[in-house]
Amino acid sequence: MNVLIVEDEKSLALEMNEFLSKEGYIVEHAWKKSSAEEKIFVNNYDFVLLDLGLPDGDGFEVLEGLKKLKNREDAVIVLTARSAVDDRIKGLEAGADDYLPKPFSLNELLARMHAIIRRKHKLEKNEVRVHDFVLDIQNRTVSYQIERVALTKKEFEILNYLVLNKNRVVSRVSLTEHVWGDILEVNSDSNFVDVHVKNLRKKLSQFTKIDWFETVRSIGYRVNV
């Protein structure tokens, strides 16, 4: 998933970046409030990991600005050395999904991110079933009955995003932004998304019919469940 780390403590930011990248997340970083607001305005993120004490402003202002944007579902975890209950309440009331005081364990951060995914998509555990396939969100694997489906990282991310947005049309632009990160860094006019989807379909169809995996002409794709 696509993550924005807003943190001016460079050693911590780099540590989170390395850890989450190894876990399969696409990570971007902003050192300041101004750069965070610019990135949030241009891109959608699955998670914003937000420090409150930024060198050019308060992280609360970033959170409030994000929540004013329409059609945004970015989950926000506030990361701060502030331990006051009032700050914690303020962050949650402003729309943060969770609050993690520093210092914290990276494994705890990951567990909280998984918990938010489960709540957001109403999952009882870190698995999603689509017809006879099972997606393990935490381990990023797909199985058909008891057999593992050999997918690349990008193919899994595409399928995972479509399944989590089941019964909704996902545009090629949204899919590109989610799987490849900053949409300004890729050529949205190219057909590389379609190529990955074609390969994904081919692998899934080796196990069973996948008429539930629909192409919506000129827009994108939809998984019907």
Side-chain angles (χ1 to χ4, degrees), residues 146-207:
I146 61 172
E147 188 172 354
R148 181 71 58 86
V149 183
L151 300 183
T152 67
K153 175 184 174 182
K154 297 301 184 187
E155 290 165 355
F156 175 85
E157 292 298 339
I158 290 170
L159 180 60
N160 184 42
Y161 190 58
L162 291 173
V163 170
L164 291 179
N165 290 279
K166 61 186 179 182
N167 302 318
R168 295 170 53 187
V169 177
V170 176
S171 70
R172 288 178 173 84
V173 172
S174 295
L175 197 56
T176 300
E177 186 175 17
H178 172 83
V179 176
W180 278 268
D182 193 339
I183 196 169
L184 297 180
E185 296 181 358
V186 298
N187 180 6
S188 59
D189 294 329
S190 71
N191 68 340
F192 67 93
V193 175
D194 299 315
V195 171
H196 279 79
V197 170
K198 180 180 179 180
N199 292 335
L200 171 60
R201 273 192 164 128
K202 182 178 180 180
K203 291 181 179 180
L204 295 177
S205 62
Q206 291 176 348
F207 294 88

Side-chain angles (χ1 to χ4, degrees), residues 84-140:
V85 174
D86 289 345
D87 279 336
R88 190 177 309 176
I89 293 173
K90 182 179 178 181
L92 295 173
E93 288 186 341
D97 296 89
D98 206 345
Y99 188 104
L100 193 58
K102 299 176 183 177
F104 55 85
S105 160
L106 293 175
N107 286 322
E108 181 181 1
L109 170 62
L110 186 63
R112 287 176 183 252
M113 292 169 71
H114 288 158
I116 290 172
I117 294 172
R118 290 195 301 269
R119 290 199 305 268
K120 182 178 179 181
H121 298 284
K122 299 178 181 179
L123 305 176
E124 294 184 1
K125 51 185 179 179
N126 291 323
E127 291 183 350
V128 184
R129 182 174 296 276
V130 53
H131 298 274
D132 292 322
F133 294 92
V134 176
L135 283 74
D136 185 327
I137 296 175
Q138 182 170 347
N139 296 312
R140 288 174 169 75

Side-chain angles (χ1 to χ4, degrees), residues 25-37:
Y25 290 86
I26 299 169
V27 183
E28 294 183 44
H29 184 220
W31 309 108
K32 298 181 179 180
K33 170 179 172 287
S34 55
S35 57
E37 289 174 332

